[in-house]
Amino acid sequence: MRIFYISIVFALLTGVVRGADGPTDPAAAERGKIDSIEHQIIGFLIHKQMGSYGPAACYAQDALQRSKKIGYTHGIALALACEAAIKGHGNDQFVLAEKLARESLDWFGRTDDKYGITLAYYTLGFSLFAQSHFDEAVHYFQLARKEAR
């Protein structure tokens, strides 16, 4: 009888350990990869570790394509915010940065996860400021500051 109980406990523990290896849902695994890519891009942008913005732009494009493929709303929003930051800060394409930041904010409006929305607000404010739309830029800078607190 004791061997029977030990066998059941062993079988249960084996199942728990196998389940803890990682997500069994392929979409969850893909979301994890996308989040990792986006965190790397944000790290590059914050610490300005790139000599050129090219590699980050490729990563952002990859994250955007992967997010669209699985319908990951937060991934799309954050990838667009990263692309907007790269276009605005790295390439001085302020009109395109404004468009991408606005689209990013639209996607952030569809999800409860607001991680990264500060980047979208700040990039939108920066691109508007660069285009001499000062009043609107100040509004988005204030929103970025409010979200960052």
Side-chain angles (χ1 to χ4, degrees):
M1 192 67 157
R2 179 187 280 176
I3 293 178
F4 176 73
Y5 287 121
I6 292 174
S7 299
I8 289 183
V9 168
F10 178 75
L12 290 174
L13 288 176
T14 304
V16 168
V17 170
R18 285 188 184 157
D21 287 342
T24 55
D25 179 20
E30 188 67 16
R31 284 192 300 271
K33 290 176 188 174
I34 292 166
D35 289 340
S36 176
I37 291 169
E38 290 171 341
H39 289 310
Q40 289 176 0
I41 297 167
I42 289 174
F44 287 145
L45 292 170
I46 290 171
H47 301 293
K48 297 180 178 142
Q49 295 173 338
M50 317 174 264
S52 108
Y53 285 86
C58 291
Y59 286 136
Q61 205 43 253
D62 181 42
L64 181 61
Q65 294 305 319
R66 288 176 180 228
S67 296
K68 284 183 176 179
K69 184 177 178 181
I70 63 168
Y72 182 31
T73 306
H74 180 257
I76 295 170
L78 192 52
L80 287 168
C82 290
E83 278 194 32
I86 292 165
K87 297 296 183 195
H89 297 287
N91 299 331
D92 295 337
Q93 296 177 346
F94 302 115
V95 174
L96 180 56
E98 176 189 355
K99 178 182 176 260
L100 290 169
R102 288 186 191 279
E103 187 177 352
S104 172
L105 289 171
D106 181 50
W107 282 96
F108 271 116
R110 301 176 194 179
T111 182
D112 292 333
D113 189 353
K114 302 300 181 192
Y115 173 78
I117 197 169
T118 305
L119 178 63
Y121 281 137
Y122 177 78
T123 302
L124 181 54
F126 184 83
S127 63
L128 290 167
F129 186 84
Q131 297 175 67
S132 300
H133 302 294
F134 303 117
D135 292 337
E136 192 177 3
V138 168
H139 170 70
Y140 285 104
F141 284 140
Q142 288 172 341
L143 288 173
R145 184 171 183 237
K146 178 182 170 189
E147 286 293 328
R149 289 182 174 194

mmCIF file of all heavy atoms in Angstrom, residues 53 82-98 100 123 126-127 130:
data_model
loop_
_atom_site.group_PDB
_atom_site.id
_atom_site.type_symbol
_atom_site.label_atom_id
_atom_site.label_comp_id
_atom_site.label_asym_id
_atom_site.label_seq_id
_atom_site.Cartn_x
_atom_site.Cartn_y
_atom_site.Cartn_z
ATOM 1 N N TYR A 53 20.188 53.394 -35.145
ATOM 2 C CA TYR A 53 18.887 52.868 -34.740
ATOM 3 C C TYR A 53 18.426 51.700 -35.618
ATOM 4 O O TYR A 53 17.350 51.172 -35.426
ATOM 5 C CB TYR A 53 17.848 53.993 -34.762
ATOM 6 C CG TYR A 53 17.973 54.947 -33.599
ATOM 7 C CD1 TYR A 53 18.836 56.030 -33.643
ATOM 8 C CD2 TYR A 53 17.231 54.752 -32.456
ATOM 9 C CE1 TYR A 53 18.946 56.905 -32.570
ATOM 10 C CE2 TYR A 53 17.334 55.613 -31.368
ATOM 11 C CZ TYR A 53 18.200 56.685 -31.441
ATOM 12 O OH TYR A 53 18.312 57.540 -30.371
ATOM 13 N N CYS A 82 7.562 51.824 -30.037
ATOM 14 C CA CYS A 82 9.010 51.713 -30.251
ATOM 15 C C CYS A 82 9.397 52.214 -31.633
ATOM 16 O O CYS A 82 10.379 52.942 -31.795
ATOM 17 C CB CYS A 82 9.471 50.267 -30.067
ATOM 18 S SG CYS A 82 9.413 49.682 -28.365
ATOM 19 N N GLU A 83 8.629 51.811 -32.646
ATOM 20 C CA GLU A 83 8.904 52.296 -34.009
ATOM 21 C C GLU A 83 8.790 53.810 -34.080
ATOM 22 O O GLU A 83 9.608 54.470 -34.733
ATOM 23 C CB GLU A 83 7.943 51.658 -35.010
ATOM 24 C CG GLU A 83 8.343 50.284 -35.460
ATOM 25 C CD GLU A 83 7.572 49.834 -36.687
ATOM 26 O OE1 GLU A 83 7.204 50.667 -37.534
ATOM 27 O OE2 GLU A 83 7.346 48.619 -36.789
ATOM 28 N N ALA A 84 7.793 54.370 -33.432
ATOM 29 C CA ALA A 84 7.615 55.825 -33.432
ATOM 30 C C ALA A 84 8.822 56.504 -32.789
ATOM 31 O O ALA A 84 9.330 57.510 -33.310
ATOM 32 C CB ALA A 84 6.334 56.203 -32.693
ATOM 33 N N ALA A 85 9.289 55.967 -31.679
ATOM 34 C CA ALA A 85 10.454 56.546 -30.998
ATOM 35 C C ALA A 85 11.692 56.475 -31.888
ATOM 36 O O ALA A 85 12.467 57.436 -31.967
ATOM 37 C CB ALA A 85 10.698 55.837 -29.677
ATOM 38 N N ILE A 86 11.867 55.370 -32.562
ATOM 39 C CA ILE A 86 13.029 55.208 -33.446
ATOM 40 C C ILE A 86 12.949 56.180 -34.615
ATOM 41 O O ILE A 86 13.941 56.825 -34.965
ATOM 42 C CB ILE A 86 13.123 53.746 -33.935
ATOM 43 C CG1 ILE A 86 13.475 52.834 -32.760
ATOM 44 C CG2 ILE A 86 14.141 53.608 -35.061
ATOM 45 C CD1 ILE A 86 13.239 51.365 -33.021
ATOM 46 N N LYS A 87 11.772 56.303 -35.208
ATOM 47 C CA LYS A 87 11.607 57.231 -36.339
ATOM 48 C C LYS A 87 11.794 58.673 -35.897
ATOM 49 O O LYS A 87 12.404 59.463 -36.608
ATOM 50 C CB LYS A 87 10.225 57.073 -36.983
ATOM 51 C CG LYS A 87 9.958 55.722 -37.587
ATOM 52 C CD LYS A 87 10.868 55.420 -38.738
ATOM 53 C CE LYS A 87 10.500 54.075 -39.345
ATOM 54 N NZ LYS A 87 11.504 53.547 -40.221
ATOM 55 N N GLY A 88 11.285 59.018 -34.727
ATOM 56 C CA GLY A 88 11.369 60.396 -34.266
ATOM 57 C C GLY A 88 12.732 60.777 -33.728
ATOM 58 O O GLY A 88 13.292 61.794 -34.117
ATOM 59 N N HIS A 89 13.274 59.936 -32.864
ATOM 60 C CA HIS A 89 14.544 60.278 -32.220
ATOM 61 C C HIS A 89 15.745 59.887 -33.067
ATOM 62 O O HIS A 89 16.769 60.562 -33.041
ATOM 63 C CB HIS A 89 14.650 59.614 -30.852
ATOM 64 C CG HIS A 89 13.606 60.071 -29.890
ATOM 65 N ND1 HIS A 89 13.634 61.309 -29.307
ATOM 66 C CD2 HIS A 89 12.485 59.454 -29.423
ATOM 67 C CE1 HIS A 89 12.583 61.441 -28.518
ATOM 68 N NE2 HIS A 89 11.869 60.333 -28.572
ATOM 69 N N GLY A 90 15.625 58.798 -33.795
ATOM 70 C CA GLY A 90 16.774 58.306 -34.544
ATOM 71 C C GLY A 90 16.865 58.796 -35.967
ATOM 72 O O GLY A 90 17.955 58.965 -36.507
ATOM 73 N N ASN A 91 15.721 59.033 -36.594
ATOM 74 C CA ASN A 91 15.727 59.360 -38.024
ATOM 75 C C ASN A 91 15.139 60.724 -38.344
ATOM 76 O O ASN A 91 15.052 61.082 -39.514
ATOM 77 C CB ASN A 91 14.971 58.282 -38.812
ATOM 78 C CG ASN A 91 15.591 56.911 -38.670
ATOM 79 O OD1 ASN A 91 16.792 56.785 -38.466
ATOM 80 N ND2 ASN A 91 14.781 55.875 -38.763
ATOM 81 N N ASP A 92 14.694 61.445 -37.343
ATOM 82 C CA ASP A 92 14.101 62.782 -37.533
ATOM 83 C C ASP A 92 12.924 62.771 -38.523
ATOM 84 O O ASP A 92 12.722 63.733 -39.250
ATOM 85 C CB ASP A 92 15.158 63.792 -37.988
ATOM 86 C CG ASP A 92 16.215 64.026 -36.933
ATOM 87 O OD1 ASP A 92 15.926 63.778 -35.752
ATOM 88 O OD2 ASP A 92 17.325 64.456 -37.296
ATOM 89 N N GLN A 93 12.163 61.698 -38.519
ATOM 90 C CA GLN A 93 10.964 61.604 -39.350
ATOM 91 C C GLN A 93 9.757 61.874 -38.445
ATOM 92 O O GLN A 93 9.026 60.979 -38.059
ATOM 93 C CB GLN A 93 10.869 60.225 -40.003
ATOM 94 C CG GLN A 93 11.998 59.935 -40.961
ATOM 95 C CD GLN A 93 11.914 58.527 -41.531
ATOM 96 O OE1 GLN A 93 11.178 57.679 -41.037
ATOM 97 N NE2 GLN A 93 12.679 58.289 -42.569
ATOM 98 N N PHE A 94 9.549 63.146 -38.133
ATOM 99 C CA PHE A 94 8.590 63.520 -37.100
ATOM 100 C C PHE A 94 7.139 63.310 -37.506
ATOM 101 O O PHE A 94 6.314 62.965 -36.667
ATOM 102 C CB PHE A 94 8.836 64.964 -36.667
ATOM 103 C CG PHE A 94 10.227 65.179 -36.164
ATOM 104 C CD1 PHE A 94 11.108 66.005 -36.831
ATOM 105 C CD2 PHE A 94 10.671 64.520 -35.027
ATOM 106 C CE1 PHE A 94 12.395 66.196 -36.371
ATOM 107 C CE2 PHE A 94 11.970 64.698 -34.557
ATOM 108 C CZ PHE A 94 12.831 65.535 -35.233
ATOM 109 N N VAL A 95 6.817 63.489 -38.768
ATOM 110 C CA VAL A 95 5.437 63.267 -39.220
ATOM 111 C C VAL A 95 5.096 61.779 -39.114
ATOM 112 O O VAL A 95 4.019 61.407 -38.632
ATOM 113 C CB VAL A 95 5.235 63.801 -40.664
ATOM 114 C CG1 VAL A 95 3.850 63.450 -41.184
ATOM 115 C CG2 VAL A 95 5.471 65.305 -40.714
ATOM 116 N N LEU A 96 6.022 60.935 -39.544
ATOM 117 C CA LEU A 96 5.805 59.488 -39.442
ATOM 118 C C LEU A 96 5.768 59.049 -37.982
ATOM 119 O O LEU A 96 4.937 58.217 -37.595
ATOM 120 C CB LEU A 96 6.900 58.730 -40.198
ATOM 121 C CG LEU A 96 6.809 57.210 -40.193
ATOM 122 C CD1 LEU A 96 5.464 56.732 -40.742
ATOM 123 C CD2 LEU A 96 7.959 56.616 -40.987
ATOM 124 N N ALA A 97 6.643 59.633 -37.154
ATOM 125 C CA ALA A 97 6.644 59.310 -35.728
ATOM 126 C C ALA A 97 5.310 59.687 -35.091
ATOM 127 O O ALA A 97 4.777 58.938 -34.263
ATOM 128 C CB ALA A 97 7.789 60.030 -35.019
ATOM 129 N N GLU A 98 4.763 60.829 -35.470
ATOM 130 C CA GLU A 98 3.457 61.247 -34.951
ATOM 131 C C GLU A 98 2.378 60.244 -35.337
ATOM 132 O O GLU A 98 1.569 59.824 -34.496
ATOM 133 C CB GLU A 98 3.096 62.629 -35.486
ATOM 134 C CG GLU A 98 1.709 63.088 -35.073
ATOM 135 C CD GLU A 98 1.247 64.359 -35.775
ATOM 136 O OE1 GLU A 98 2.026 64.966 -36.531
ATOM 137 O OE2 GLU A 98 0.072 64.729 -35.558
ATOM 138 N N LEU A 100 2.692 57.046 -36.171
ATOM 139 C CA LEU A 100 2.881 55.772 -35.478
ATOM 140 C C LEU A 100 2.518 55.874 -33.996
ATOM 141 O O LEU A 100 1.919 54.954 -33.433
ATOM 142 C CB LEU A 100 4.331 55.307 -35.630
ATOM 143 C CG LEU A 100 4.743 54.857 -37.030
ATOM 144 C CD1 LEU A 100 6.255 54.675 -37.111
ATOM 145 C CD2 LEU A 100 4.027 53.581 -37.423
ATOM 146 N N THR A 123 6.777 60.237 -27.155
ATOM 147 C CA THR A 123 7.188 60.310 -28.560
ATOM 148 C C THR A 123 6.227 61.176 -29.355
ATOM 149 O O THR A 123 6.658 61.949 -30.224
ATOM 150 C CB THR A 123 7.279 58.899 -29.161
ATOM 151 O OG1 THR A 123 8.206 58.131 -28.391
ATOM 152 C CG2 THR A 123 7.731 58.933 -30.602
ATOM 153 N N PHE A 126 7.052 64.724 -28.434
ATOM 154 C CA PHE A 126 8.323 65.114 -29.040
ATOM 155 C C PHE A 126 8.159 65.416 -30.529
ATOM 156 O O PHE A 126 8.681 66.412 -31.032
ATOM 157 C CB PHE A 126 9.350 63.996 -28.834
ATOM 158 C CG PHE A 126 10.725 64.326 -29.322
ATOM 159 C CD1 PHE A 126 11.595 65.061 -28.538
ATOM 160 C CD2 PHE A 126 11.159 63.897 -30.564
ATOM 161 C CE1 PHE A 126 12.873 65.367 -28.982
ATOM 162 C CE2 PHE A 126 12.432 64.201 -31.021
ATOM 163 C CZ PHE A 126 13.289 64.936 -30.220
ATOM 164 N N SER A 127 7.427 64.544 -31.230
ATOM 165 C CA SER A 127 7.247 64.759 -32.673
ATOM 166 C C SER A 127 6.390 65.995 -32.947
ATOM 167 O O SER A 127 6.647 66.731 -33.903
ATOM 168 C CB SER A 127 6.653 63.519 -33.340
ATOM 169 O OG SER A 127 5.368 63.245 -32.843
ATOM 170 N N ALA A 130 8.595 69.034 -32.374
ATOM 171 C CA ALA A 130 9.520 69.218 -33.493
ATOM 172 C C ALA A 130 8.829 69.831 -34.714
ATOM 173 O O ALA A 130 9.481 70.458 -35.545
ATOM 174 C CB ALA A 130 10.154 67.882 -33.873
#
